[in-house]
């Protein structure tokens, strides 16, 4: 019995033994292309079916990114606070202090008219001075003289507070009236150590009581003033034996003339021995601190990076398990015409979405941690955009790398063996 042939095909008709995908290719058919919406749909299928596993896998990524964002944000917030202080306090203040004699090695004294001569330097806007007194200040005469609490006693000119851009937290500053009498203004550290919380109290200096007329706010550019008890220039000479020679001269100049004033300050104060005058920039410490803020954050950034890598390993492990559990699905899709490339895209997309969710959660957690720290410390809340963008980009890169091997493994599964295994 002769078997009939199909004249259009030029071959015998009968049951086909080729797989569907191979038959489609031999008949000139192409696999359907996946649009972006289709890619997102098939890529999120595994995530929707296993939400608990997704949360646990994304947690590692989130912790790593949150750590990195928090470290960078806290450092940036602290730096912004320092820069804000510098803007408020200014970087145009210089201090000239009496140094040691070059040959004698003994402390030298600045001229009595140092404030006046400094005020005449071009560019100087205001000047003031303090003079150290070999006296101690105590809460009362019953406290032993040796218990000074590290508080210095200084004479101060009336213009000192303006030069420092300071203000009295309570009470008033020294002026032409109270500066002639036994009145004293306390720096805020000195007031805390003496237990004085308001003006009107009295403290014991030398052999008499002085009335506290003011307590100062903190002075970051002049910590020595914060730990001092300040009396008027005239009162110090008349009551405490002050010789009138200033120990330190403070000046404010225009921003454009700071460097020139710094060069002229020593020879102006002591033309004969300018080497005996030490000129300093109080704001340099804050500048250096602002510049180096975050230098010690490198270790924490490294720990955050390690946590991020561990999270990436967790994502890769999750994707491999997902491939093993979904072999039947993979085999079915391959039998229906899905190409290896489409399978790879599906699992890489799933890995990217998993890492992206962890990255978004990490950025949010890190920003929240910075906000909490800034609020508690009274700092400005700063999260650099590059840190958030860079951290999220890092999660996508790790997600891509973590999903490559599972995606390749899934695309290489034989449709027949995958269906048989399912």
């Amino acid at each position: 019995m002769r078997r009939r042939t199909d004249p259009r095909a030029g071959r015998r008709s009968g049951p086909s033994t080729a797989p569907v995908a191979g038959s489609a290719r031999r008949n000139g058919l192409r696999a359907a292309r996946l649009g972006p919406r289709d890619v997102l749909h098939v890529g999120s299928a595994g995530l929707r079916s296993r939400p608990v596993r997704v949360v646990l896998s994304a947690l590692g990524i989130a912790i790593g990114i949150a750590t990195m964002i928090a470290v960078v944000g806290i450092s940036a917030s602290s730096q912004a606070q320092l820069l804000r202080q510098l803007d408020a306090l200014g970087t145009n203040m210089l201090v000239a202090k009496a140094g040691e004699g070059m040959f004698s090695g003994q402390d030298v004294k600045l001229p009595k008219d140092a404030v006046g001569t400094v005020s005449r330097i071009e560019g100087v806007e205001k000047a003031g001075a303090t003079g150290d007194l070999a006296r101690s200040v105590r809460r009362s005469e019953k406290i032993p003289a040796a218990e000074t609490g590290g508080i210095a006693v200084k004479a101060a000119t009336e213009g000192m507070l303006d030069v420092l851009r300071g203000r009295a937290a309570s009470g008033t500053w020294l002026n032409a009236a109270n500066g002639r009498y036994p009145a004293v203004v306390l720096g805020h550290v000195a007031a805390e150590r003496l237990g004085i919380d308001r003006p009107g109290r009295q403290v014991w200096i030398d052999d008499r009581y002085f009335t506290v007329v003011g307590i100062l706010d903190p002075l970051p550019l002049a910590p020595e003033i914060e730990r001092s008890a300040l009396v008027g220039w005239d009162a110090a000479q008349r009551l405490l034996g002050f010789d009138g020679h200033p120990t330190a001269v403070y000046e404010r100049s225009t921003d454009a003339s700071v460097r020139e004033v710094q060069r002229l300050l020593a020879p102006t104060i002591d033309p004969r021995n300018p080497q005996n005058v030490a000129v300093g920039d109080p704001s340099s410490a804050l500048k250096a601190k602002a510049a180096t803020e975050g230098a010690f954050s490198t270790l924490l950034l490294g720990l955050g990076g390690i946590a991020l890598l561990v999270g990436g390993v967790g994502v890769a492990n999750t994707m491999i398990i997902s491939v093993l559990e979904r072999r039947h699905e993979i085999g079915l899709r391959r039998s229906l015409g899905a190409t290896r490339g489409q399978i790879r895209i599906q699992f890489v997309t799933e890995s990217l979405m998993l890492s992206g969710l962890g990255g978004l959660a990490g950025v949010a957690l890190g920003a929240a941690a910075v906000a909490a720290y800034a609020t508690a410390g009274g700092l400005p809340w700063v999260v650099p955009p590059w840190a958030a963008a860079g951290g999220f980009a890092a999660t996508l890169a790790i997600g891509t790398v973590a999903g490559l091997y599972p995606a390749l493994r899934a695309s290489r599964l034989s449709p027949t063996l995958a269906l048989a295994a399912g």
Side-chain angles (χ1 to χ4, degrees):
M1 181 177 177
R2 297 179 62 186
R3 186 175 297 179
R4 292 182 301 171
T5 60
D6 187 349
R8 292 174 298 174
R11 58 188 178 186
R12 291 176 295 187
S13 62
S16 174
T17 58
V20 174
S23 176
R25 283 193 295 269
R26 280 195 293 269
N27 284 291
L29 300 178
R30 295 182 179 180
R33 298 181 62 182
L34 295 178
R37 184 175 180 180
D38 299 322
V39 171
L40 292 176
H41 180 75
V42 297
S44 62
L47 305 183
R48 295 194 304 269
S49 61
R50 299 169 180 83
V52 176
R53 183 184 298 176
V54 168
V55 172
L56 294 177
S57 299
L59 186 60
I61 294 286
I63 291 174
I65 291 298
T67 301
M68 299 177 74
I69 295 294
V71 168
V72 174
I74 290 173
S75 175
S77 297
S78 300
Q79 188 178 47
Q81 176 69 4
L82 289 173
L83 293 176
R84 179 182 292 181
Q85 286 183 351
L86 281 173
D87 289 339
L89 299 172
T91 58
N92 57 345
M93 186 177 80
L94 299 174
V95 181
K97 295 183 178 182
E100 293 184 352
M102 179 178 295
F103 301 105
S104 65
Q106 298 178 349
D107 290 339
V108 298
K109 295 182 178 181
L110 300 180
K112 291 183 178 181
D113 62 346
V115 174
T117 56
V118 168
S119 300
R120 290 191 290 270
I121 299 176
E122 185 177 357
V124 172
E125 296 179 330
K126 56 188 70 174
T130 60
D132 291 342
L133 301 172
R135 301 289 186 271
S136 62
V137 56
R138 291 166 284 164
R139 182 68 182 268
S140 72
E141 76 275 15
K142 296 180 180 180
I143 297 175
E147 297 183 10
T148 63
I151 303 172
V153 180
K154 297 177 181 288
T157 61
E158 296 176 16
M160 264 297 300
L161 196 62
D162 287 338
V163 177
L164 296 175
R165 290 185 182 174
R167 63 179 183 178
S170 58
T172 186
W173 174 246
L174 300 168
N175 52 48
N178 59 30
R180 300 176 58 191
Y181 300 100
V184 62
V185 174
L186 300 177
H188 89 284
V189 175
E192 290 176 357
R193 293 178 181 177
L194 289 170
I196 305 295
D197 57 356
R198 63 181 182 273
R201 301 294 183 87
Q202 291 187 320
V203 294
W204 185 261
I205 300 178
D206 197 19
D207 60 351
R208 69 177 64 216
Y209 278 104
F210 279 66
T211 301
V212 177
V213 297
I215 298 175
L216 300 180
D217 271 339
L219 297 168
L221 293 185
E224 68 279 4
I225 303 298
E226 295 179 335
R227 298 186 292 270
S228 299
L230 306 163
V231 298
W233 204 263
D234 293 338
Q237 291 178 306
R238 186 166 55 87
L239 302 175
L240 300 176
F242 179 48
D243 61 5
H245 289 276
T247 307
V249 177
Y250 300 77
E251 68 79 29
R252 286 276 182 183
S253 56
T254 60
D255 292 333
S257 59
V258 172
R259 298 283 74 87
E260 181 65 16
V261 171
Q262 187 173 20
R263 184 182 67 84
L264 296 174
L265 205 53
T268 299
I269 293 175
D270 193 348
R272 294 183 178 181
N273 299 292
Q275 70 278 359
N276 293 340
V277 181
V279 179
D281 180 3
S283 64
S284 60
L286 283 178
K287 291 177 186 175
K289 188 175 181 181
T292 59
E293 185 65 40
F296 296 102
S297 301
T298 305
L299 177 61
L300 292 177
L301 282 174
L303 293 176
I306 293 174
L308 192 57
L309 291 176
V310 171
V313 173
V315 170
N317 184 57
T318 298
M319 295 306 302
I320 290 175
I321 294 175
S322 179
V323 170
L324 294 176
E325 291 180 345
R326 297 162 63 188
R327 285 179 295 179
H328 184 271
E329 174 193 334
I330 297 169
L332 182 60
R333 290 198 63 214
R334 291 281 287 125
S335 298
L336 293 176
T339 64
R340 290 185 175 183
Q342 291 173 347
I343 298 297
R344 286 194 293 268
I345 290 174
Q346 173 186 349
F347 282 93
V348 169
T349 301
E350 184 174 330
S351 178
L352 276 172
M353 295 179 71
L354 179 58
S355 300
L357 290 174
L360 290 175
V363 170
L365 288 174
V370 175
Y373 178 86
T375 302
L379 304 176
W381 180 69
V382 179
V383 176
W386 64 263
F392 185 70
T395 62
L396 297 183
I398 288 178
T400 301
V401 174
L404 283 177
Y405 173 71
L408 290 172
R409 182 170 180 173
S411 66
R412 291 172 181 171
L413 286 176
S414 168
T416 305
L417 295 179
L419 288 171

